[in-house]
Amino acid sequence: FTEGTDRFAYPAPCAVILSLLYKAVPHSHFVYTIIFAATLVASAFMFHKMLVNSAVLPYIATEISIVLMVTSHPWILLYDRANIELFVYLFVAGGFWAYISGRTKLAAVLWGCSGAMKIYPIALLAVFLKRSMLSTFLIGILTTVAALFLSFWYMGPTISDSAIGTLNGLRGFLNQYAGAVRPAGLDHSILGALKALLSSSRFHMA
């Protein structure tokens, strides 16, 4: 929701979600806000339930859940930037739910989709690297490949052009963002606030 200074392309599966959200849906910011709020509240509710199941008193679990929900720095960052990571989180979290509930093939599909959007969720498929679950591991890998090619086709104009554009976008991310030196600010954790404090002129004067 704020004007950024870094311009680079997301991988094609992320671009598909952004295209559907910001072109096909009217009032896209409102829709994103609803999805964000529902995800945040649901996450806090499940965290509260986990605490209660771990013998934490209900009122204490409620207080902890509310404080974390309101002050969580990654959530603040997600909303500030209407970040695509929200949808990656949904796929990853859905995969964990499926895996814990014994739906391993569904977990592989969800983690495979998230791996197509961001590279790191592919590491979760390593839990299927045992002889009895190799077929499930292959399902996850094939899901990643299928999601990539389908998104290349959707974005167009051709699959090869879209794939080259994605590679150029990743190269731009590495060169312009990940590899650049920039002032301390918002980060993906509370360390961003700490870096901003340590880099302030008042701190240096003290």
Side-chain angles (χ1 to χ4, degrees), residues 14 18 47 71 74 76 92 97 128-129 149 151 157 162 169 202 206:
C14 295
L18 291 174
F47 181 70
T71 63
I76 295 171
V92 171
W97 169 81
F128 304 123
L129 280 176
F149 274 90
S151 59
S162 183
R202 291 184 180 180

Side-chain angles (χ1 to χ4, degrees), residues 163-176:
I164 292 172
T166 294
L167 291 175
N168 289 335
L170 292 174
R171 190 177 297 112
F173 172 81
L174 292 174
N175 294 334
Q176 300 175 26

